[in-house]
Amino acid sequence: MGLNIILFIIMMIFDCTYIFTEELLFKTIASTMFVSLGLINFIQCFKNKKDLEFPLWMLTALIYAMVGDVLLGLHFNIGVIVFGIAHIFYIISYSKLNSFIRRDFLNGAIISIIIPLPMIFILWNAEYINISLVVLGCIYVVILSGMLGKAISNLVRERNSVNITITIGALLFFISDMCLILNMFGGISFCRYICLITYYLAQFLLSFSLLKFSYVEEILEKNI
């Protein structure tokens, strides 16, 4: 737990440094911190548990998110694609906690219908927009909505510390990405700060969910 707090503080320091300097190096270091958190907590899961499906997929998602995070500063479209893949891995990891049911698709569909409409309007009216970016953005938002929808569905089915942590993280991730769109294409500059703060808070919580998973499972083992 102590190491999680230390790495979280370091991550937020570099996050804040990136906010004011816009140097990609600081953003990269901040991103490596949440992957490091994920790896440390994965090792804890390895020590305590035999079933590593959820931790493995979560760690994979965190790694892809880190790569996508860096690529956004180098080639935006490729970064979005990699982030989309990361969200698919997040969805898979959530499904290892609670299997897919019809409500998962329903929640994702509701979110993806409500949110893309204003996003499409913003993208379409941006000065330097093109149709390929609109299509890419809509596909990404649908995948992102599916990620949040699955997290919410898991929480409704089973209210435990792992699902609560994941749902809060997923919601913050969703807010972060919406703020990114509003900042880049809607011209709302203060959304950039919200985007970067909520993003790293989200990644910390998703990484931290591995430690919560390890702890909960360890208690279950002791009760058997």
Side-chain angles (χ1 to χ4, degrees):
M1 181 66 179
L3 191 54
N4 275 254
I5 294 174
I6 292 171
L7 289 178
F8 170 72
I9 293 172
I10 295 172
M11 180 182 70
M12 295 309 295
I13 289 173
F14 280 102
D15 176 29
C16 293
T17 305
Y18 171 72
I19 288 175
F20 293 106
T21 65
E22 298 188 17
E23 290 290 336
L24 185 59
L25 175 63
F26 297 126
K27 185 180 186 183
T28 302
I29 295 174
S31 296
T32 59
M33 289 299 102
F34 67 70
V35 173
S36 298
L37 275 168
L39 181 59
I40 290 169
N41 293 336
F42 174 85
I43 293 173
Q44 188 63 39
C45 292
F46 178 78
K47 290 179 179 179
N48 293 340
K49 298 312 304 171
K50 294 180 180 180
D51 184 4
L52 295 175
E53 284 191 295
F54 163 67
L56 184 60
W57 284 108
M58 176 61 77
L59 181 60
T60 302
L62 291 169
I63 292 171
Y64 268 81
M66 178 192 70
V67 175
D69 199 21
V70 175
L71 287 175
L72 280 179
L74 300 175
H75 193 293
F76 185 79
N77 286 6
I78 295 177
V80 171
I81 292 171
V82 174
F83 256 123
I85 296 172
H87 284 305
I88 292 173
F89 288 142
Y90 281 123
I91 293 171
I92 295 173
S93 72
Y94 304 165
S95 71
K96 299 304 178 181
L97 295 172
N98 299 94
S99 58
F100 273 106
I101 58 174
R102 186 179 301 175
R103 186 189 298 128
D104 298 339
F105 297 100
L106 179 61
N107 288 345
I110 292 173
I111 296 171
S112 63
I113 289 173
I114 294 174
I115 299 300
L117 293 179
M119 292 300 108
I120 291 173
F121 179 80
I122 292 172
L123 289 173
W124 195 262
N125 286 276
E127 294 181 1
Y128 54 93
I129 207 65
N130 57 65
I131 189 63
S132 63
L133 187 56
V134 173
V135 172
L136 180 62
C138 291
I139 293 173
Y140 177 79
V141 170
V142 169
I143 297 173
L144 176 66
S145 301
M147 185 274 297
L148 177 58
K150 176 57 180 168
I152 294 173
S153 182
N154 280 5
L155 181 59
V156 171
R157 291 169 64 183
E158 187 176 352
R159 292 189 180 183
N160 56 46
S161 60
V162 178
N163 283 339
I164 291 172
T165 303
I166 287 175
T167 302
I168 296 173
L171 179 60
L172 288 173
F173 209 146
F174 188 89
I175 292 172
S176 174
D177 280 348
M178 294 303 100
C179 287
L180 176 64
I181 294 175
L182 291 173
N183 172 51
M184 292 192 64
F185 305 109
I188 306 176
S189 58
F190 74 87
C191 283
R192 176 176 178 271
Y193 304 104
I194 300 175
C195 167
L196 289 169
I197 292 173
T198 54
Y199 171 72
Y200 285 103
L201 287 174
Q203 295 292 34
F204 167 74
L205 288 172
L206 294 173
S207 303
F208 187 66
S209 70
L210 294 177
L211 185 62
K212 300 291 288 185
F213 173 78
S214 176
Y215 174 73
V216 169
E217 293 300 315
E218 186 177 3
I219 291 177
L220 291 176
E221 280 191 349
K222 291 180 179 179
N223 290 334
I224 292 176

